[in-house]
Amino acid sequence: MLKIILRHASLLILTLFVLSFFSFSLAYLFPGDPLINLTGIRDSSEQEYALLAEQYAMHSSFIVQYWQYVTHLFTGNWGLSFSSGLPLAEEISRSLAASVELSAYALFFSFLIGLPLGFLSGLRHHKFTDFTLLTASVIGYSIPVFWAALIAILIFSIQLGWFPLSGRISLLYDVPFETGFILVDILLSDLPDKEFAFQDALRHLVLPSVSIAIVTCTIVLRITRRSIVEVMSSEYIQAAYARGLSPRQVFLRHGVKNALIPILPLLVMQFTTLLTNAMIVETIFSWPGIGNGLIQAIYQRDFPAIRAGMLAVSALVLTFTITIDMVIQIFDPAGRRPENATS
């Protein structure tokens, strides 16, 4: 186990080092003064400019400048945004939390819908129900995320008026920032109309979450179906039938557990796909996430925001992926078997 942890930790540190070096290099690749691209401060006096140049070691070698940049990253000094003038560390922490929240609820919807349908399709293998669900999954997987979001807006917002068109919560409610998760922040707040604010935030979440979850739901369905077909046709399931257990007992005692064990890690890995799709949907629903923020930064040529946002998203996806892979190898005996065989 220690060997697995050390190997993944070294891989994470090395890759984060490469990412941070690429992020630092962007300050020189973007047009304009590298110091302004790093700090985001454009209208500074000569004295302030000299002080900033000394802080970022701009008159030293490239390696020393990079080390100063990493030091500022660890201390939370990510520079200022050209467009808003606010600290980027604060802006990115808020927008990144909004994107993670949206992806987390989409993952919940994917499991809530995809797992039962996958079980049903697997149990009805090569029957009408199975073919119907497979056809629906192919159609759902083929629909582009942005197109599904636009169709959802057209039907459920404009035509039926069931859900809000855009935003995260109505402007009537001023929810203080605590965790970045809007529903949790509402529960932690002292708002007098907390119940109505919670319902309003839920209504804003439905359409973007479901739009993102459609593709992942079809993946969950197909992976679950394949796993349940393999498990229910295995020898120990036939042995359970031979002992006189009913189909319901065989499924609940042996089928569900053995089907879920190999696929749950694969399903959790879908979180990074959801996060990527969320960055597309955020722009359509004006969701204040990191994807929407990056698009706006590109439009406004806000180079410090582009550099810091790309670094934050890359670091989050990389850390999540390597951590999940490490947990799978630690707790899945099948994943450790090849390693033990070669040691």
Side-chain angles (χ1 to χ4, degrees):
M1 180 185 298
L2 181 61
K3 187 177 179 181
I4 295 174
I5 295 175
L6 290 177
R7 187 171 69 245
H8 283 80
S10 59
L11 175 63
L12 177 63
I13 293 172
L14 179 63
T15 315
L16 286 177
F17 164 77
V18 174
L19 280 176
S20 62
F21 189 80
F22 177 71
S23 170
F24 171 71
S25 302
L26 286 178
Y28 284 88
L29 298 176
F30 287 143
D33 190 332
L35 181 59
I36 295 178
N37 292 335
L38 279 171
T39 61
I41 301 175
R42 289 188 287 191
D43 302 324
S44 58
S45 62
E46 291 186 5
Q47 186 177 5
E48 291 172 339
Y49 186 89
L51 182 60
L52 288 172
E54 183 181 355
Q55 289 179 356
Y56 282 84
M58 297 303 292
H59 302 299
S60 303
S61 65
F62 195 76
I63 299 300
V64 175
Q65 293 178 34
Y66 167 70
W67 178 251
Q68 287 293 98
Y69 169 70
V70 173
T71 305
H72 283 96
L73 284 181
F74 278 107
T75 56
N77 183 11
W78 291 28
L80 301 178
S81 168
F82 278 173
S83 55
S84 66
L86 297 175
L88 284 170
E90 180 182 342
E91 282 200 341
I92 290 176
S93 63
R94 288 175 178 266
S95 57
L96 199 58
S99 295
V100 171
E101 178 189 38
L102 192 58
S103 304
Y105 292 131
L107 187 64
F108 171 75
F109 280 124
S110 301
F111 280 11
L112 184 67
I113 300 171
L115 279 177
L117 293 182
F119 278 117
L120 179 62
S121 181
L123 293 175
R124 300 289 183 182
H125 188 220
H126 282 177
K127 294 183 179 178
F128 178 76
T129 305
D130 183 29
F131 292 135
T132 304
L133 290 174
L134 282 178
T135 303
S137 70
V138 171
I139 295 173
Y141 188 79
S142 305
I143 298 176
V145 175
F146 68 91
W147 194 72
L150 292 175
I151 293 296
I153 289 176
L154 179 64
I155 297 176
F156 298 104
S157 293
I158 297 177
Q159 296 294 331
L160 300 176
W162 290 354
F163 300 103
L165 188 64
S166 62
R168 203 177 181 194
I169 192 170
S170 192
L171 295 176
L172 295 173
Y173 307 102
D174 185 15
V175 182
F177 180 84
E178 293 290 342
T179 65
F181 281 61
I182 188 71
L183 297 182
V184 178
D185 287 351
I186 291 174
L187 294 176
L188 295 176
S189 68
D190 296 326
L191 291 174
D193 43 4
K194 187 185 299 186
E195 180 182 351
F196 297 105
F198 192 86
Q199 294 175 3
D200 186 78
L202 269 182
R203 294 181 67 243
H204 280 79
L205 268 170
V206 172
L207 285 188
S209 301
V210 172
S211 301
I212 301 168
I214 289 176
V215 173
T216 308
C217 182
T218 62
I219 297 173
V220 172
L221 189 155
R222 297 177 74 88
I223 293 177
T224 307
R225 172 190 174 274
R226 185 177 58 195
S227 180
I228 200 69
V229 169
E230 291 176 356
V231 167
M232 296 306 290
S233 60
S234 59
E235 293 182 355
Y236 60 86
I237 292 294
Q238 304 303 321
Y241 279 121
R243 291 200 304 271
L245 296 179
S246 66
R248 178 186 177 87
Q249 290 174 320
V250 171
F251 176 69
L252 294 178
R253 291 183 185 180
H254 304 285
V256 175
K257 177 183 175 184
N258 291 295
L260 286 178
I261 287 176
I263 65 172
L264 276 181
L266 298 176
L267 299 182
V268 174
M269 293 292 284
Q270 294 297 320
F271 183 78
T272 54
T273 306
L274 286 169
L275 185 61
T276 307
N277 290 334
M279 295 174 68
I280 301 172
V281 171
E282 285 170 4
T283 307
I284 298 173
F285 286 95
S286 298
W287 187 268
I290 189 71
N292 192 21
L294 277 174
I295 295 294
Q296 299 303 323
I298 292 171
Y299 280 143
Q300 299 169 3
R301 301 172 66 85
D302 192 344
F303 301 124
I306 296 172
R307 178 179 50 80
M310 291 175 61
L311 177 62
V313 173
S314 305
L316 175 67
V317 172
L318 177 70
T319 305
F320 184 82
T321 305
I322 292 181
T323 303
I324 292 299
D325 185 65
M326 182 183 67
V327 171
I328 290 173
Q329 290 198 21
I330 290 176
F331 291 100
D332 184 11
R336 296 201 301 268
R337 194 172 298 125
E339 180 188 355
N340 294 334
T342 56
S343 62

